[in-house]
Amino acid sequence: MTKLTNEQRLQIYNQWKFEGISITQISKNWKLNNRGIAYMINLIDR
C-alpha cells in the first residue's frame, strides 16, 4: 500500500461509507489492494 495522506484516507472512507462504492472499485480507482483498503476502513470505523 502506498503512503496516503490523511485527506486521501478520509476521501476513500467517504467513498465507501457515504457514496456506496465497493472496496474492489475503490481499489481499482486508487490502484491499491483490497485488503489494505478493508483494513484501513476497519481502523477508521473503530
Side-chain angles (χ1 to χ4, degrees):
M1 189 169 183
T2 61
K3 191 89 168 174
L4 298 172
T5 64
N6 287 338
E7 288 112 18
Q8 289 172 327
R9 289 182 184 124
L10 287 175
Q11 197 174 22
I12 289 171
Y13 181 77
N14 288 333
Q15 285 179 349
W16 175 77
K17 184 79 170 185
F18 300 115
E19 296 176 22
I21 300 174
S22 69
I23 291 176
T24 54
Q25 188 62 38
I26 292 171
S27 69
K28 288 178 185 176
N29 292 344
W30 288 85
K31 296 183 178 110
L32 302 169
N33 63 17
N34 291 348
R35 290 310 226 166
I37 292 175
Y39 178 71
M40 182 185 66
I41 286 172
N42 285 334
L43 288 177
I44 293 172
D45 270 342
R46 289 183 189 176

